[in-house]
Amino acid sequence: MNYRHIYHAGNFADVLKHAVLARLIRYLQKKDAAFRVLDTHAGIGLYDLSSEEAQKTGEWRDGIGKLLEADLAPQVAELLEPYLSAVRELNPEDGIRFYPGSPKLSRMLFRPQDRLSAMELHPEDFARLHRLFEGDHHARITELDGWLSLGAHLPPKEKRGIVLVDPPFEEDGEYERLVDGLAKAYRRFPGGTYCLWYPLKKGAPIKEFHEALQALDISKMLCAELSVRSDRGITGLTGSGLIVVNPPFTLKDELHVLLPALKDHLAQDRYASHRALWLRGESKAAKDG
């Protein structure tokens, strides 16, 4: 209940998560049928980067701040266009003040038929999220522990959807909780596309986490990771990863374009790295850099 994303909004981890989320939304929109985005840990939806909290850490400067100023290769710019266009739409003048969290970004990318279900447990953050979407009939905002939504809110009535699980990782056992949550949700909604976020930092049980995911009865599971610095001598976040279940068939090739570019533009030291690999499915060969 103490975690507040305003301190981290727009950082390098948000860039990876939101760039991939935008690609997933655009892929589902290749079909006319409606879909729903279920955002289990939604936050406040829209972040003021000029606020005292955001200025205190300034993490956005090494994330979206760098990316907006980067000279992007055409193929990279094309893949990032949905995401970056949404950010620029919120900041029509020079510079950047407002940054969209995942529920706001999703809503900005929607067609008239698409829908959002956003869960937030923190009372103050829920109130702000509810005000942001007040009167919006495309969005349903619920004050709820996001982990519970993986049972109660699946499958969506649209029968198509993206489930974004982005927990704060405040407590021990969150990697295990991600595995258990995915197993529970997949049983209810096996056709959904799932996007699970997790932190990379020194001592994190990533190998064990991946092995537990591989043990699930899920046929296709893609992993993307981006580290911006070495974890030597650092106890905090050095990178982040995404697990995408039932990924679009195009996503692996898109990651091979996006990840090297994000590494180059967001690197904080010479040890920055990336990788994309199948945990289950097409091929387990990784492409690292």
Side-chain angles (χ1 to χ4, degrees):
M1 295 294 290
N2 295 322
Y3 178 85
R4 309 301 293 279
H5 192 66
I6 182 59
Y7 292 99
H8 313 290
N11 69 1
F12 63 84
D14 265 3
V15 167
L16 174 63
K17 175 178 61 183
H18 292 149
V20 171
L21 175 61
R23 298 310 310 160
L24 297 178
I25 289 173
R26 283 292 183 251
Y27 183 81
L28 262 65
Q29 289 172 339
K30 290 181 180 293
K31 293 184 178 180
D32 290 337
F35 64 86
R36 184 173 295 269
V37 171
L38 171 61
D39 194 332
T40 64
H41 298 76
I44 64 175
L46 183 64
Y47 298 90
D48 184 348
L49 300 182
S50 69
S51 68
E52 180 181 351
E53 297 92 340
Q55 290 293 323
K56 184 175 181 179
T57 61
E59 290 185 15
W60 63 271
R61 294 188 177 92
D62 287 327
I64 189 60
K66 281 185 176 180
L67 194 62
L68 285 175
E69 296 176 354
D71 183 14
L72 301 174
Q75 191 177 9
V76 176
E78 181 180 358
L79 292 176
L80 289 173
E81 188 275 334
Y83 165 49
L84 294 184
S85 289
V87 175
R88 292 187 175 109
E89 183 179 336
L90 293 171
N91 300 277
E93 301 186 11
D94 291 341
I96 176 172
R97 177 179 175 183
F98 296 107
Y99 184 79
S102 48
K104 179 65 173 178
L105 175 64
S106 298
R107 182 66 185 90
M108 293 178 73
L109 297 177
F110 278 177
R111 307 163 302 177
Q113 64 265 44
D114 303 326
R115 296 293 185 269
L116 169 71
S117 290
M119 311 296 151
E120 178 52 50
L121 182 60
H122 194 290
E124 184 181 338
D125 287 359
F126 165 75
R128 294 181 66 176
L129 183 68
H130 189 270
R131 288 195 298 271
L132 179 66
F133 288 102
E134 191 169 7
D136 185 345
H137 301 297
H138 292 77
R140 181 173 64 185
I141 312 303
T142 306
E143 187 173 7
L144 181 70
D145 182 343
W147 294 110
L148 299 178
S149 69
L150 295 176
H153 290 259
L154 293 176
K157 66 179 182 180
E158 293 83 3
K159 307 302 181 186
R160 303 178 68 226
I162 298 167
V163 181
L164 177 65
V165 187
D166 177 23
F169 278 83
E170 285 185 295
E171 303 175 3
D172 292 338
E174 292 285 63
Y175 293 94
E176 293 84 355
R177 204 172 186 185
L178 261 184
V179 176
D180 293 342
L182 173 61
K184 177 181 180 180
Y186 189 82
R187 286 194 295 269
R188 295 181 63 89
F189 185 35
T193 296
Y194 295 82
C195 187
L196 316 180
W197 181 89
Y198 59 95
L200 299 176
K201 54 186 178 180
K202 191 170 185 177
I206 304 303
K207 181 175 182 291
E208 294 80 4
F209 173 55
H210 286 178
E211 289 174 347
L213 288 168
Q214 289 170 330
L216 298 178
D217 187 20
I218 295 175
S219 60
K220 288 192 177 183
M221 198 179 304
L222 183 61
C223 168
E225 292 182 347
L226 173 68
S227 294
V228 297
R229 61 190 178 204
S230 167
D231 64 5
R232 287 182 288 184
I234 296 176
T235 58
L237 190 71
T238 59
S240 69
L242 296 172
I243 302 297
V244 183
V245 172
N246 295 331
F249 76 94
T250 56
L251 185 60
K252 181 71 179 299
D253 288 341
E254 291 180 354
L255 288 172
H256 288 163
V257 175
L258 285 174
L259 288 176
L262 293 179
K263 186 204 77 168
D264 290 345
H265 291 298
L266 303 183
Q268 296 179 19
D269 67 23
R270 63 189 180 93
Y271 297 102
S273 63
H274 65 85
R275 64 174 179 166
L277 66 151
W278 289 100
L279 294 184
R280 293 285 303 270
E282 302 288 338
S283 168
K284 292 184 181 179
K287 188 167 184 179
D288 301 345

